[in-house]
Amino acid sequence: MRRFATVLTVLLGLFPLTFGVRFLFDGPGAGAGYGITAAAGGFFVAKGIRDIVLGLNLLALFALKQRRATGVLMAITTLVPIVDMITVLSHGGTVATALGIHGLTAVVMLFDACLLLRERRTVEAPQPVGVHS
C-alpha cells in the first residue's frame, strides 16, 4: 500500500503543475476544462499560479521524505477542489463537471491523505559496523 500511496502522491503533485501551466498559456481552453467558459481575465493566471504552487508544495515535502507532513498538506489542500466544485456549480458549469472532475479529485486527495497519515513509520535497521583489524 505504501508504493500505491507514493505513486498517487506523486501524480497528485504533478497534475496541478500541468493544469497550472495550461491556465497560464491557454486560459480559455483550460477554463472550459475546469468547467466555466466565461472570459475570466486575471482568473486564469491566478488559478494557474495557484495550481503550480500547490503541486510544488506537495512534491517538495514528499521529496524531503516528509510523508506525514505531505499527508497533512494533502488533507488541507483537499479544500481547493471542493471550492473549485462550488465555483463551477455557482457559475453556470454542469453538475457532471463539478462532481466528476472536482468532486472526484477531492475524494482521491482525501483518500491519499488518509493513506499517508495512516502509514507506520519505518525504523531503519542499524548498519553493521565493519570489523577493524
Side-chain angles (χ1 to χ4, degrees):
M1 193 56 95
R2 185 174 169 93
R3 181 172 290 171
F4 177 75
T6 296
V7 171
L8 188 57
T9 301
V10 170
L11 290 174
L12 287 170
L14 290 174
F15 285 154
L17 297 178
T18 61
F19 304 147
V21 169
R22 183 160 183 223
F23 268 100
L24 290 178
F25 294 105
D26 179 24
Y34 173 82
I36 58 173
T37 57
F43 168 78
F44 295 138
V45 173
K47 173 136 175 40
I49 295 300
R50 178 198 72 175
D51 287 349
I52 290 168
V53 169
L54 287 174
L56 290 174
N57 282 332
L58 288 168
L59 291 173
L61 270 180
F62 198 67
L64 293 170
K65 299 182 181 180
Q66 299 296 316
R67 294 178 76 90
R68 186 160 182 81
T70 304
V72 170
L73 181 62
M74 184 77 70
I76 294 167
T77 304
T78 300
L79 290 171
V80 171
I82 291 170
V83 172
D84 287 350
M85 179 178 62
I86 294 167
T87 301
V88 169
L89 289 171
S90 64
H91 287 85
T94 66
V95 173
T97 299
L99 295 176
I101 295 173
H102 305 292
L104 184 60
T105 299
V107 169
V108 171
M109 289 177 71
L110 194 55
F111 174 70
D112 189 42
C114 289
L115 289 177
L116 291 168
L117 292 170
R118 292 178 50 94
E119 286 181 356
R120 299 197 192 284
R121 294 181 188 216
T122 57
V123 178
E124 292 184 24
Q127 297 297 321
V129 178
V131 178
H132 298 287
S133 304

